[in-house]
Each structure stands twice: as structure tokens, then as C-alpha cells.
Amino acid sequence: MNDFVFSNSTKVYFGKNQLQNLPKEIKAYGDKVLLVYGGGSIKRMGLYDKVMQTLKEAGIEVYELAGIEPNPRHTSVNAGAKICRENGIQSVLGIGGGSCIDASKAIAAAACYEGDVWDLVEGKAPVESALAVFAMPTMASTGSEMDKGAVISNIERNEKKSLSCELIRPKASFLDPTNTFSVSAYQTACGGFDIMSHFLEMNYFTKDENYALQKGVIESILRTLVKYIPEAIENPNSYEARSNLLWAASWALNSFCTSGMKQAPSCHRMEHELSAFYDLTHGLGLAILYPKWMEYLLDKDETVAQDFADFGVRVFGLEESTNAKDGAVKSIEAMKKFLYEDLGLKSTLGACQIDDAKFDAMAENACGPNGINGYRSLDEEDVKAIYRMCL
Ligand code: NZQ
Ligand code: ZN
């Protein structure tokens, strides 16, 4: 293993009866908070009323920013930062999916900067300070509640980029599985595969060797996800299924499984272009890309075959194959069946009304100046070929 420093400072309150702990966490930073949420799911499920009552009873002054979009826009972040600056707010509470939590993190940083948040996202200006961030995820997906990243979209420029900085990692996150009961079957599937893909491409299919501990943990988590994503779709109010998914989501990017590894995603780089150009749901884009990326690599470079074959045996419970390539093909087929039959996700870009018109620009952006140097290196021609396979 490489040398590493492990640190994750987010305090996690997990379970059904943790809301009473929210005021004391917020009050440690001040008595004014900006509540950031999306298109109304938190009101429909009754969570908004409960949170407002809890905060108000504790004497916390609550400001609000509603309407955060899936794939949150930098313009919404700027609007939130302005509210914070004008009212001397000390902390930001994001309640919702990864989009609301990401927006909250970016608001927390932008509130301490006079210009446009896009300067911070692009690295034109450093994040020098940030308000305190608190998160209450209402779906199991991105892991934003325990990581230091925020993914923000600039729709006018067809750009979607990450802001990553220790200052925006949530101080405390509140993970109540019952808050995820109302997530639709479609979003459960998309969020569920997002979690799987975080483990697979950041921590599992990597060039790094000698990480038996992390890889064993990841295989166990992946098997858990393969069991519980369909169960949560089948029985949305299953506390057992929802709690396993929610905790797995946080583990994916909380730094434990990546300790010492070089994180180098491939499909995430390609997917962010789909969201940037077509506002596609993140987990759906990944589900379309992932099996095609595996097929492309296997065709180009058979050294991946054994890893892919092992994955099918250890995660999907396939029989061992005598030939690594056969095993790899069977693994990819098992993944396709899981995604497109068991979870019911679309399998092509064509089914999402996406054609090849923007592939050149998307591949250029995905690769940047240095290409994608993940599990296997990809250049623009590789990326375009994978996009074409998805049509
Ligand atoms: O807006 P509302 O009404 O809340 O509805 C949302 C939204 O329409 C709905 N939803 C959330 N919780 C619900 C619910 N509906 C019913 N009941 C509930 N309990 O779900 C829809 C999608 O929400 P969104 O926040 O967009 O989903 P997700 O959590 O998948 O977040 C996706 C965003 O996170 C970024 C993605 O790129 C995308 O922008 N990512 C962030 C990462 C990070 N911070 O580390 C890493 C990821 O790889 C990812 O890139
Ligand atoms: Zn993701």
C-alpha cells in the first residue's frame, strides 16, 4: 500500500430519531442558517415541516433557497451565496439529493467570495473560507453527505465541473433511511447504480495492487447493493433495504475505501458531459456507459479480462470460468441484466433522444488536455467510440 493520511471529519447521525441533534450542531456556528432544498419532495414527505419546527423551537433563524435543480446550476449557487452575505448567515443546510447538498457546499464557499462561484469551480480563485455545511440526504446516491466535493453545472457553457475542498465537507450529516422511502423506483435505480459505480471505478477497477482489505470490503458492499437496490424498488418502505443503501452511499466516497489509492474515474468523466450537454440523470448516464466501457476495454486490451471475470464471480455470484475472457463476457452480461432488466433502466442514449451531434465536443471536454488516465487510459477517439457504442 502507498502511504496515506486518512481523515473524515463529518459527524454522522444515522437513524430515525436524530433530528433533535440538528440544532446543537448548527448553533455551534451561529443562529442563522440557509435551508437549501429542491423541487418540493421534502414538503410532500412532511420533512420540511419537521425540520422548520425543530430549528425554530431552538431559536434558529431560517432563511430559504428552494428549487435547486437536479444537476444544480451555478446561478442558483450565486443566488444562495447572495442571501448568505446579505443576512450574515453562518451555515448552510442542504436537504435533498446530491444536487441540493452539492449546491449547499458551493453556496458555503461562494458566500465567502465576492465574485461568481464559477471562478471557484474553475480554480480561477481559491476557496479561502466557507460557511459551515450540514447535510440531510433524502436519497441514497452520491455520497456528498460525507465527501468534500460539489458538482455544479454551467448550462450556458455546457459545462459540469467539481469543486473539491476540505472546507466544504459537511460538519455533520443526518442520515434517516425513512426520509428515502418516497424516492421513486427510477431514482432509486439511478442513485443505486451511482453508488455502485463510485466503488467500481474509483476504488475497485484500479491500477493499484495490494489493496486486499479495501477490495474485500468493496465486494461485500457491492453484493449488498445488488441485493438491496431491487428490494428497495420492490418494497420502498423497507427500512432494511433503505438503510443499507443509504450507508453504502456514504461509504463510497468517504475516503476509507480509497485510502492510498489514486482515484481516477473514467465513466464519471464521460457521464458528466452527458449531463452537461443533455441534462441527463447522472446515474442513468452511468448505467448506459458502464457496460459499454467494459466491452470496449475488453475488446482493446485483454489484460482486463481477469479483473472483470473475478468481479462477476464475487459480486454477481457467477460460476468461475476456465477462460478469463469468457468470464469477463459473462460478467458484463450479468451487469446488463441487472441494470436493464432487474432495475428497468434504459440501455441506450438513443432511448434518451441523444444522438452523436455533440460527441466531438463531449469527448474533448471529457479528456481535457491529458486524456482520461483511469484503470486504462482513454483518448478522445476511445471516448467517442464508447459514446457511439451507447447509441
Ligand atoms: O428536487 P426534489 O423535489 O427534492 O426531487 C429530487 C430530484 O427530482 C428527487 N428526490 C430526492 N429525494 C427524494 C426525491 N423524490 C422523492 N422522495 C425523496 N426522498 O430526486 C431527484 C434527483 O435528485 P438529485 O439530487 O439530482 O439526485 P442525486 O442524489 O443523484 O444527485 C445528482 C447530482 O450529484 C452529482 C451529480 O453529478 C448530479 O449533479 N454528483 C455529486 C457527487 C459528489 N458530490 O461527490 C459525486 C457524484 O458522482 C455525482 O457526480
Ligand atoms: Zn456519481
Tab-separated table of all heavy atoms in Angstrom, residues 141-142 193-195 197-198 201-202 253 268 271-272 282-283 286, ligand 2:
chain	number	residue	atom	x	y	z
A	141	SER	N	-27.386	7.985	-2.885
A	141	SER	CA	-26.824	8.161	-4.226
A	141	SER	C	-25.379	8.652	-4.175
A	141	SER	O	-24.459	7.828	-4.124
A	141	SER	CB	-27.700	9.119	-5.056
A	141	SER	OG	-28.003	10.282	-4.309
A	142	THR	N	-25.177	9.949	-4.152
A	142	THR	CA	-23.857	10.498	-4.467
A	142	THR	C	-22.808	10.341	-3.369
A	142	THR	O	-21.614	10.369	-3.654
A	142	THR	CB	-23.963	12.007	-4.748
A	142	THR	OG1	-24.403	12.656	-3.562
A	142	THR	CG2	-24.962	12.293	-5.848
A	193	PHE	N	-27.198	2.773	-8.779
A	193	PHE	CA	-26.061	2.458	-9.654
A	193	PHE	C	-24.964	3.516	-9.533
A	193	PHE	O	-23.782	3.189	-9.710
A	193	PHE	CB	-26.462	2.255	-11.122
A	193	PHE	CG	-25.277	1.768	-11.909
A	193	PHE	CD1	-24.712	0.534	-11.640
A	193	PHE	CD2	-24.661	2.564	-12.863
A	193	PHE	CE1	-23.572	0.082	-12.299
A	193	PHE	CE2	-23.516	2.129	-13.544
A	193	PHE	CZ	-22.982	0.878	-13.257
A	194	ASP	N	-25.338	4.734	-9.210
A	194	ASP	CA	-24.290	5.745	-8.952
A	194	ASP	C	-23.391	5.253	-7.810
A	194	ASP	O	-22.156	5.308	-7.905
A	194	ASP	CB	-24.949	7.090	-8.611
A	194	ASP	CG	-23.942	8.227	-8.491
A	194	ASP	OD1	-22.870	8.146	-9.132
A	194	ASP	OD2	-24.227	9.201	-7.769
A	195	ILE	N	-24.010	4.738	-6.757
A	195	ILE	CA	-23.207	4.226	-5.624
A	195	ILE	C	-22.284	3.102	-6.116
A	195	ILE	O	-21.079	3.092	-5.838
A	195	ILE	CB	-24.111	3.660	-4.496
A	195	ILE	CG1	-25.145	4.671	-4.036
A	195	ILE	CG2	-23.255	3.203	-3.308
A	195	ILE	CD1	-26.212	4.098	-3.097
A	197	SER	N	-21.173	2.480	-9.023
A	197	SER	CA	-20.115	2.937	-9.932
A	197	SER	C	-19.020	3.674	-9.171
A	197	SER	O	-17.856	3.635	-9.565
A	197	SER	CB	-20.697	3.798	-11.051
A	197	SER	OG	-21.093	5.035	-10.532
A	198	HIS	N	-19.376	4.352	-8.064
A	198	HIS	CA	-18.310	5.006	-7.277
A	198	HIS	C	-17.323	3.972	-6.758
A	198	HIS	O	-16.111	4.166	-6.834
A	198	HIS	CB	-18.919	5.773	-6.096
A	198	HIS	CG	-19.693	6.968	-6.517
A	198	HIS	ND1	-20.651	7.549	-5.751
A	198	HIS	CD2	-19.660	7.694	-7.671
A	198	HIS	CE1	-21.165	8.589	-6.390
A	198	HIS	NE2	-20.586	8.687	-7.564
A	201	GLU	N	-15.409	2.290	-10.031
A	201	GLU	CA	-14.383	2.968	-10.822
A	201	GLU	C	-13.428	3.832	-10.022
A	201	GLU	O	-12.345	4.147	-10.496
A	201	GLU	CB	-14.988	3.720	-11.995
A	201	GLU	CG	-15.819	4.906	-11.706
A	201	GLU	CD	-16.101	5.598	-13.025
A	201	GLU	OE1	-15.562	5.177	-14.067
A	201	GLU	OE2	-16.850	6.576	-13.017
A	202	MET	N	-13.774	4.167	-8.807
A	202	MET	CA	-12.805	4.933	-8.017
A	202	MET	C	-11.931	3.985	-7.193
A	202	MET	O	-10.810	4.309	-6.854
A	202	MET	CB	-13.506	5.890	-7.059
A	202	MET	CG	-14.667	6.608	-7.685
A	202	MET	SD	-14.316	8.268	-8.200
A	202	MET	CE	-15.926	8.831	-8.693
A	253	LEU	N	-17.543	7.361	-1.032
A	253	LEU	CA	-16.607	8.475	-1.249
A	253	LEU	C	-16.143	9.092	0.066
A	253	LEU	O	-15.708	10.241	0.096
A	253	LEU	CB	-17.266	9.545	-2.131
A	253	LEU	CG	-17.668	9.083	-3.538
A	253	LEU	CD1	-18.323	10.224	-4.312
A	253	LEU	CD2	-16.473	8.572	-4.323
A	268	HIS	N	-17.326	8.388	-15.010
A	268	HIS	CA	-17.828	9.652	-14.462
A	268	HIS	C	-17.406	10.828	-15.343
A	268	HIS	O	-18.179	11.768	-15.538
A	268	HIS	CB	-17.338	9.856	-13.022
A	268	HIS	CG	-18.311	9.344	-12.009
A	268	HIS	ND1	-18.548	8.009	-11.822
A	268	HIS	CD2	-19.159	9.992	-11.151
A	268	HIS	CE1	-19.469	7.855	-10.886
A	268	HIS	NE2	-19.857	9.037	-10.470
A	271	GLU	N	-19.675	10.642	-18.281
A	271	GLU	CA	-21.077	10.932	-17.931
A	271	GLU	C	-21.296	12.410	-17.691
A	271	GLU	O	-22.331	12.955	-18.076
A	271	GLU	CB	-21.502	10.141	-16.692
A	271	GLU	CG	-23.008	10.129	-16.471
A	271	GLU	CD	-23.634	11.481	-16.173
A	271	GLU	OE1	-23.130	12.234	-15.293
A	271	GLU	OE2	-24.630	11.829	-16.847
A	272	HIS	N	-20.356	13.078	-17.036
A	272	HIS	CA	-20.598	14.495	-16.729
A	272	HIS	C	-20.827	15.308	-18.003
A	272	HIS	O	-21.536	16.312	-17.986
A	272	HIS	CB	-19.451	15.064	-15.892
A	272	HIS	CG	-19.558	14.687	-14.424
A	272	HIS	ND1	-18.611	14.998	-13.498
A	272	HIS	CD2	-20.525	14.019	-13.748
A	272	HIS	CE1	-18.991	14.542	-12.294
A	272	HIS	NE2	-20.141	13.935	-12.436
A	282	HIS	N	-27.691	11.666	-13.708
A	282	HIS	CA	-26.318	11.168	-13.560
A	282	HIS	C	-26.250	9.628	-13.538
A	282	HIS	O	-25.487	9.010	-14.289
A	282	HIS	CB	-25.746	11.768	-12.271
A	282	HIS	CG	-24.393	11.310	-11.882
A	282	HIS	ND1	-23.285	11.476	-12.681
A	282	HIS	CD2	-23.953	10.669	-10.754
A	282	HIS	CE1	-22.219	10.976	-12.062
A	282	HIS	NE2	-22.605	10.470	-10.896
A	283	GLY	N	-27.049	8.996	-12.692
A	283	GLY	CA	-26.985	7.528	-12.546
A	283	GLY	C	-27.421	6.807	-13.818
A	283	GLY	O	-26.906	5.725	-14.132
A	286	LEU	N	-24.525	6.881	-16.262
A	286	LEU	CA	-23.514	5.890	-15.865
A	286	LEU	C	-23.951	4.481	-16.237
A	286	LEU	O	-23.146	3.655	-16.693
A	286	LEU	CB	-23.279	5.960	-14.350
A	286	LEU	CG	-22.574	7.205	-13.830
A	286	LEU	CD1	-22.697	7.291	-12.305
A	286	LEU	CD2	-21.105	7.197	-14.244
B	2	ZN	ZN	-21.507	9.533	-9.330
